[in-house]
Amino acid sequence: MGIIGGGPAGLLLSRLLALRGIDSVVLENRSREYVEQRIRAGILEQHSVDTLVGAGVGDRLRREGLEHRGIHLQWPGTRHALDFQQLCGRTVWVYGQTEVVKDLVAAQLDGGPPLLFEVSDVMPEDVDGERPRIRFTDADDTPQVLECDVIAGTDGFHGVSRPVVQGGTPGRVWERTYPYAWLGILADAPPATDELIYAWHPEGFALYSMRSPSVSRLYLQVDPSERIEDWSDQRIWDALDTRFAFGGWSVNRGPVTDRSILPMRSFVSTPMRRGRLFLAGDAAHIVPPTGAKGLNLAIADVTRLAAAFARLLQDRQTDLVDAYSDAALARVWRCTHFSWWMTSMLHRSGDAFDAQLQLSQLRRVCASEAAARELAENYTGLPVD
Ligand code: APR
Ligand code: PHB
């Protein structure tokens, strides 16, 4: 079978299929260096960790990943710890998506199914028939055709698969853009906090995250029109100090090794299938990063898709592929709601009434075990059926 896109979704799908004895070819249009350097999210739900460990790519994750029992919610004068372990019996892990991709690429190149980098002109064809194919040009500029039983479109938000799915079925796209963006930095500085801090502040949201005991990942809400060139290190650290201010505590500074501005949107493309072409991960849906759901959703999609493909190709049963889109979308919408809710609760809109509602919601989450548990269950990830 053919897999378009070698991000976490495509690579993990190929690995899960190989473990079930199903061959695949992964086609990636970027270079290995590019996909291994791309800085992305960093929080894994328990079920994502279990999936990666079960797929035999969890050794470094278990060694180097940091288990987090909860998060802190902050607003001026208050920093409140939510203990997920206590609230819902589950935890999350800090381990960069970049590291997940490196582990998956290494496993794939070590005797796994073919993974072709730097391909171009990738196009799925005849997806409504029994024998779909993918046309592409390989890294040596030779046109190729890959005949497939089924095709997975795991080529991210800007890929070629989603337009093909939308072009054939009465589909629909659901979208919300937010008037916010995140300025994210990586810094060689030991995190000054044991757990992540989600901070509401009149000047805008800030998030204190990390990648390891010596590397911090920090975000500031900025206007989407902001340009990264206008943010000096000094301006970034000063804004972080202001938004995280809490008693005598302070943010740890260090050399900034990466910086970028990320747009925020919610996006869902339905259905997630046309004929023998199936979408998974960012190819079908985007969530704003506030709930740390993007990577976990991609992992949940391909876990479901691997089981459905195995049932189709090995047992000749179509029940799971037929159920795939609706079942995957149920989780997608849950995560879309949660990410929208976290985003709405924490970002400065500029409206004074909104700010009062946000503070009331934050106080509620911290005062009520039921409200806190609702956040904890969603953040740590609902069980995959
Ligand atoms: N042909 C081949 N590969 C393609 C094409 C194409 N036409 N278009 C895009 N790709 C590749 C991209 O270069 C990328 O490596 O598909 C891959 C898609 O990977 P991701 O964008 O990482 O998407 P996904 O694997 O679904 O992972 C979702 O990524 O964006 C984050 O927050 C998101 O953490 C989540 C995760
Ligand atoms: C990250 O570390 O990149 C991160 C953590 C939590 C989020 C979003 C991003 O909610």
Side-chain angles (χ1 to χ4, degrees):
M1 61 159 296
I3 299 178
I4 305 175
L11 292 168
L12 180 60
L13 176 62
S14 178
R15 176 98 194 150
L16 292 172
L17 290 169
L19 293 173
R20 292 168 183 262
I22 298 170
D23 290 332
S24 62
V25 176
V26 181
L27 303 173
E28 166 59 49
N29 64 358
R30 302 286 195 153
S31 67
R32 178 178 181 181
E33 295 67 39
Y34 184 90
V35 301
E36 289 190 346
Q37 292 311 317
R38 214 166 19 196
I39 308 290
R40 291 271 181 86
I43 298 288
L44 294 171
E45 298 169 358
Q46 186 63 53
H47 82 83
S48 298
V49 172
D50 295 344
T51 303
L52 292 166
V53 170
V57 285
D59 290 352
R60 204 159 64 92
L61 159 59
R62 277 205 287 213
R63 256 194 338 267
E64 297 176 16
L66 308 171
E67 186 175 19
H68 279 201
R69 281 180 67 110
I71 56 169
H72 296 285
L73 288 178
Q74 174 172 330
W75 59 93
T78 304
R79 180 175 294 173
H80 183 90
L82 290 182
D83 186 334
F84 296 156
Q85 177 71 44
Q86 206 174 53
L87 287 162
C88 70
R90 292 195 297 276
T91 58
V92 293
W93 291 70
V94 172
Y95 189 68
Q97 178 172 325
T98 315
E99 306 310 314
V100 173
V101 168
K102 281 185 200 157
D103 296 343
L104 285 165
V105 169
Q108 193 91 359
L109 296 180
D110 181 22
L115 162 57
L116 309 185
F117 289 106
E118 297 179 68
V119 303
S120 49
D121 310 322
V122 179
M123 191 44 73
E125 287 183 358
D126 273 351
V127 299
D128 296 320
E130 290 283 295
R131 297 295 298 168
R133 72 187 80 82
I134 305 173
R135 281 190 196 281
F136 66 99
T137 303
D138 68 19
D140 299 323
D141 260 350
T142 310
Q144 303 279 359
V145 180
L146 182 68
E147 305 284 345
C148 307
D149 297 302
V150 282
I151 300 174
T154 52
D155 44 354
F157 188 63
H158 301 288
V160 293
S161 301
R162 188 177 61 255
V164 174
V165 171
Q166 283 287 341
T169 35
R172 190 167 169 187
V173 163
W174 315 75
E175 192 163 16
R176 163 100 12 127
T177 49
Y178 301 89
Y180 321 125
W182 280 13
L183 187 161
I185 61 163
L186 264 186
D188 286 332
T193 173
D194 50 347
E195 311 282 24
L196 272 59
I197 305 172
Y198 288 79
W200 182 99
H201 191 274
E203 289 187 11
F205 170 67
L207 171 60
Y208 206 138
S209 181
M210 62 199 74
R211 286 292 176 271
S212 73
S214 56
V215 175
S216 299
R217 176 77 170 149
L218 294 138
Y219 297 98
L220 286 169
Q221 176 191 348
V222 296
D223 192 88
S225 64
E226 286 285 343
R227 294 171 344 137
I228 195 75
E229 302 78 52
D230 295 334
W231 286 80
S232 64
D233 287 10
Q234 186 67 39
R235 183 173 176 205
I236 293 171
W237 291 117
D238 288 350
L240 289 166
D241 276 346
T242 303
R243 298 187 196 183
F244 285 118
F246 185 67
W249 179 93
S250 65
V251 173
N252 280 344
R253 297 187 178 197
V256 175
T257 57
D258 187 88
R259 71 187 73 216
S260 59
I261 292 185
L262 321 163
M264 297 178 77
R265 64 159 72 82
S266 297
F267 178 94
V268 182
S269 176
T270 61
M272 286 171 63
R273 168 195 190 178
R274 170 180 173 185
R276 288 192 164 234
L277 172 60
F278 296 80
L279 301 180
D282 277 18
H285 42 74
I286 297 282
V287 287
T290 325
K293 288 291 144 202
L295 174 58
N296 294 293
L297 257 187
I299 292 175
D301 282 353
V302 296
T303 305
R304 186 181 294 284
L305 199 51
F309 283 170
R311 184 118 166 108
L312 179 73
L313 301 175
Q314 293 175 331
D315 307 336
R316 303 279 146 204
Q317 297 293 320
T318 58
D319 54 343
L320 296 187
V321 284
D322 289 343
Y324 170 72
S325 179
D326 285 349
L329 283 166
R331 187 180 190 86
V332 168
W333 279 114
R334 175 87 306 278
C335 293
T336 300
H337 174 268
F338 177 65
S339 307
W340 162 84
W341 178 75
M342 286 284 280
T343 301
S344 311
M345 176 170 71
L346 289 162
H347 289 74
R348 172 182 191 271
S349 76
D351 179 281
F353 186 79
D354 284 350
Q356 292 306 321
L357 293 181
Q358 291 173 327
L359 288 167
S360 171
Q361 179 71 71
L362 282 163
R363 283 194 298 268
R364 174 75 189 152
V365 168
C366 297
S368 152
E369 192 166 314
R373 183 169 298 124
E374 175 63 8
L375 189 157
E377 286 185 357
N378 280 279
Y379 195 101
T380 56
L382 298 166
V384 188
D385 51 291

